[in-house]
Amino acid sequence: AAFLPCVAGIQGIVDAYCQILPQIRLHGPTNFSPITNHVARFAARSLQQGTSAYFILLIITDGEITDVDQTRQVIVNASKLPTSIITVGVGEA
């Protein structure tokens, strides 16, 4: 089954997490800018189309960010868009 990047509500988040968890392997480097930029493009497109969609990116990570400068710039650019970014650290890194 294909993973859908958009979900509705808390149950949608839980369902997506349970679906994708068996398929992921945690490893480095930990680059946040590509996925953050990807979600920002969704939000920018939605804003241009005049829809009332709001995007929340939930990042669950076990490592330190390796592309800090790029991630910082993407977050600054996304701050004007209908989006929130939540980062949760797990593990000891």
Side-chain angles (χ1 to χ4, degrees), residues 33 36-37 67-79:
S33 63
T36 306
N37 198 37
D67 63 342
V68 175
D69 292 335
Q70 297 93 329
T71 298
R72 183 180 299 120
Q73 188 59 52
V74 171
I75 291 171
V76 168
N77 294 343
S79 68

Side-chain angles (χ1 to χ4, degrees), residues 16-91:
Y17 180 77
C18 290
Q19 178 185 353
I20 199 68
L21 190 59
Q23 301 173 37
I24 61 172
R25 191 177 109 247
L26 302 175
H27 60 88
T30 304
N31 295 319
F32 287 178
S33 63
I35 188 64
T36 306
N37 198 37
H38 184 70
V39 172
R41 284 194 302 268
F42 275 107
R45 190 174 311 126
S46 174
L47 190 62
Q48 289 172 347
Q49 294 172 348
T51 63
S52 60
Y54 192 86
F55 298 83
I56 301 172
L57 171 60
L58 173 61
I59 299 173
I60 302 173
T61 181
D62 70 335
E64 297 177 20
I65 301 173
T66 53
D67 63 342
V68 175
D69 292 335
Q70 297 93 329
T71 298
R72 183 180 299 120
Q73 188 59 52
V74 171
I75 291 171
V76 168
N77 294 343
S79 68
K80 299 170 183 70
L81 299 171
T83 187
S84 291
I85 302 165
I86 301 169
T87 305
V88 178
V90 295

